[in-house]
Structure formats: C-alpha cells, structure tokens
Amino acid sequence: MKGLIKLHKPEHPIRPVVNWRGVPAYTLAQLFTQKIKLLAPLPNKYNLENTNDLLKKLADTPILPHFALASLDITNLYTNILATETREIIANTLENNKIKPQDKKEMLNWYDTITGQNYSPTDKILIQQDGLAMGASTSGIIAEVFLQNLENSHLTHLSDKHKIKGYFRYVDDILIICDSRHTKINNI
C-alpha cells in the first residue's frame, strides 16, 4: 500500500492506494473488467474522453450570457460507491441484455469476490469498509456502472427542472451549464 498526498486539499490528506498486483483476485479483476464491457456495455452518454472531447461538446452547446457554469467534484469517488447497489445494477443490466443465467451468475460471483477482497500487505489484514478500493483494477468500471446508472435515471428530470443545458463528466469532475434565469446554481 502507498499513500498519495492530496496537495490541492487543505491539510493535505493522504489517499491510501493498494497495489492489487499481488492480490489473489488480480487476474479475476482483469477478466471481470474485460467481460463486463462485452456483456453490459455502458452508454457513456455524459462521459468525456479527454479535454478535446469537452471542447468539441462545448462548441456544440450554445452558451448565452444568462447561462451559468458550475464545476463539481465527487468527493472520494471510489470509497463512496455503493457496492451492493452496484451489484444490483449489474444484475439488472445482465438480465435486460438477456445474458445466459450461468454467465450472469458467474459475473456476479466474480463481482462478489473482487469487491469482498481483503488485503494483507504485512501480517495484518486490511478490510475495505466502504465502497471500492483505490488501486483495484475494477474500481473504475464499477464506479462508472454506478454513476452512469445514476445519471441515466435522474438527469433528464433534473435537466428539465433546473434548465440544465449541458452536463459533462470526466471520472469525478463534472461541468454543468444551466439557465441562471430559472435556477440558482447553489440549488442544484
């Protein structure tokens, strides 16, 4: 395990990152990531690939003088992902994609093994209490499953209610463009 210092945060907290390469479930995690992308591809409706993708999408988004921009950051993304709810999202997605019951069961068993993995960098076993482990190769895809489900479930309603004209997300950074005549930014 190593610690990454968050220099951009007050008091410089340390983010613990576990090196998963020596963990028994490492190979299983890599297989899970590959297979889940095939069996339950993500829509990536609001995701950004990189800065150029953001610039391209902004160029296609009319921005008027009365529009407001808000930049948001998801605090501690991986440790705040609800692993049990994400398992249900994956189960429902596999069901909706008409994946064979045996394949679905296998994927969910893999998910349980990966997300329940404990770590022993020394003789002391560390147990992930909440969310997903920093450093696990599956944390990114599992977080995406959760976030994209959340966005696809709620963003249309929120966009109508708050007159959101643009919503763009890159991992845990979000840019929102809304009509400030109808919504105060701090109420979103």
Side-chain angles (χ1 to χ4, degrees):
M1 183 174 356
K2 66 179 180 178
L4 295 178
I5 299 172
K6 297 181 179 183
L7 296 173
H8 62 287
K9 303 271 183 167
E11 300 180 27
H12 309 297
I14 296 175
R15 171 185 290 154
V17 179
V18 175
N19 180 352
W20 257 60
R21 290 177 200 243
V23 174
Y26 178 71
T27 303
L28 182 62
Q30 291 179 312
L31 291 171
F32 176 85
T33 300
Q34 292 171 2
K35 195 163 183 180
I36 199 70
K37 287 178 180 180
L38 293 173
L39 298 178
L42 295 170
N44 295 316
K45 185 175 178 181
Y46 303 104
N47 289 51
L48 296 168
E49 294 176 24
N50 52 38
T51 304
N52 289 334
D53 189 28
L54 173 62
L55 294 173
K56 181 179 168 188
K57 289 179 179 177
L58 286 175
D60 294 337
T61 304
I63 300 177
L64 302 174
H66 57 275
F67 285 4
L69 279 69
S71 175
L72 310 172
D73 181 65
I74 301 172
T75 304
N76 300 322
L77 173 63
Y78 290 164
T79 57
N80 282 310
I81 295 297
L82 304 173
T84 304
E85 285 186 24
T86 307
R87 185 188 193 281
E88 285 302 311
I89 294 166
I90 290 171
N92 291 337
T93 303
L94 293 171
E95 188 77 28
N96 292 339
N97 290 354
K98 299 183 182 357
I99 301 303
K100 292 185 278 186
Q102 183 58 36
D103 289 341
K104 176 184 169 184
K105 182 179 178 183
E106 180 179 90
M107 290 304 294
L108 294 175
N109 284 339
W110 288 7
Y111 180 88
D112 293 340
T113 300
I114 293 162
T115 57
Q117 182 70 54
N118 297 328
Y119 314 94
S120 180
T122 62
D123 59 350
K124 183 178 178 184
I125 294 177
L126 305 174
I127 299 172
Q128 182 76 28
Q129 297 294 321
D130 298 307
L132 307 172
M134 289 293 302
S137 58
T138 52
S139 292
I141 189 73
I142 293 170
E144 276 301 319
V145 167
F146 181 82
L147 290 173
Q148 288 192 35
N149 178 266
L150 188 68
E151 291 165 341
N152 291 324
S153 299
H154 300 287
L155 213 47
T156 300
H157 166 73
L158 290 172
S159 291
D160 292 341
K161 180 179 176 183
H162 296 288
K163 307 298 183 213
I164 295 174
K165 304 299 181 187
Y167 176 94
F168 313 98
R169 181 174 58 80
Y170 182 76
V171 187
D172 65 344
D173 296 312
I174 300 169
L175 175 65
I176 296 175
I177 303 169
C178 66
D179 189 333
S180 63
R181 296 175 302 180
H182 300 281
T183 300
K184 292 185 184 274
I185 280 292
N186 59 359
N187 289 337
I188 293 180

